[in-house]
Amino acid sequence: CGIAYLYQTTVEVFDGFSEEWGFSTGDVLCNTAGIGLFTAQQLTWGEQRIVLKYSFHQSKYSKYRPNLLGSNLPENILKDYNGLSYWISINPRSFFKNTKWLPNWLSIGAGFGAEGMTGGKENPTEVDGKIIPEFERYRQYYISLDIDLARVKTKSVLLGSIFKFINIVHLPSPAIEFSKGRKSRYHAFYF
């Protein structure tokens, strides 16, 4: 828990020194709530029935602001919020232990993301003397299937450890996207 909190706090400190983004009390509260969710589940159930995850895909926006949103994949993963989605993944079988027909590894994910952001609080129309397109900023909500890799049975200790480690990533899977003022969209595989 401490390492995760330290990582997230480091990101918030860097955001605090950024003129574009600034420090976010809401982000710190969400980070604290995430650590609290993990701890409460361990103390109550001795397992993680609700897992926080994230996913990332490269967006078209970083090419307009590479200094702010990243100029390569590792930078994009850290800086381009347009490609990030945050998920809460709930494992139904862990709540209904006697439901044998439901696979132990199948979960339901609810996600949140945003798109159209080329600036921290508002989008600029010009960067370094070049005009950039105007993009509408909007929030995205998702419902998706998910795989709880920590519950996948394997005889390999190494493979089991790898599964638990990468279980923080929402794997590509079918999803329905909802956005205010837009039609719902189906994605065969959303990441």
Side-chain angles (χ1 to χ4, degrees):
C1 285
I3 292 172
Y5 197 69
L6 177 65
Y7 170 76
Q8 290 298 342
T9 303
T10 302
V11 170
E12 298 311 325
V13 169
F14 281 126
D15 280 356
F17 286 106
S18 168
E19 289 181 27
E20 289 287 334
W21 300 115
F23 180 80
S24 170
T25 304
D27 285 353
V28 172
L29 290 173
C30 286
N31 296 342
T32 304
I35 297 296
L37 176 66
F38 177 87
T39 304
Q41 289 183 88
Q42 283 303 122
L43 294 173
T44 305
W45 300 313
E47 67 177 347
Q48 297 298 300
R49 297 178 181 186
I50 303 167
V51 179
L52 300 177
K53 298 184 174 194
Y54 81 98
S55 63
F56 176 79
H57 64 272
Q58 282 189 294
S59 78
K60 65 183 179 182
Y61 304 101
S62 63
K63 68 182 176 185
Y64 298 105
R65 304 275 325 260
N67 290 343
L68 182 69
L69 303 176
S71 60
N72 56 47
L73 181 60
E75 287 181 4
N76 293 152
I77 291 171
L78 292 174
K79 295 178 164 185
D80 187 1
Y81 293 113
N82 296 290
L84 285 169
S85 297
Y86 301 95
W87 299 85
I88 186 164
S89 182
I90 301 169
N91 183 275
R93 176 85 179 266
S94 64
F95 290 99
F96 305 104
K97 301 277 187 192
N98 295 328
T99 311
K100 302 294 182 199
W101 60 270
L102 193 59
N104 191 37
W105 47 264
L106 184 63
S107 293
I108 305 295
F112 171 79
E115 196 158 324
M117 300 178 294
T118 55
K121 295 182 174 71
E122 56 187 44
N123 292 346
T125 55
E126 186 178 306
V127 176
D128 297 329
K130 295 179 184 174
I131 295 175
I132 65 170
E134 289 186 36
F135 296 107
E136 176 190 2
R137 298 163 69 104
Y138 64 97
R139 293 182 177 131
Q140 301 159 308
Y141 303 92
Y142 305 96
I143 297 292
S144 177
L145 295 176
D146 194 22
I147 297 172
D148 188 339
L149 291 173
R151 295 178 186 274
V152 173
K153 302 288 185 209
T154 178
K155 293 180 181 179
S156 168
V157 174
L158 176 63
L159 191 56
S161 296
I162 291 170
F163 281 175
K164 287 178 183 174
F165 179 73
I166 62 173
N167 200 41
I168 62 169
V169 176
H170 172 79
L171 298 175
S173 56
I176 301 173
E177 174 187 335
F178 304 94
S179 302
K180 186 176 181 180
R182 295 172 177 267
K183 290 182 77 170
S184 301
R185 289 177 33 187
Y186 174 76
H187 301 275
F189 291 101
Y190 185 82
F191 190 59

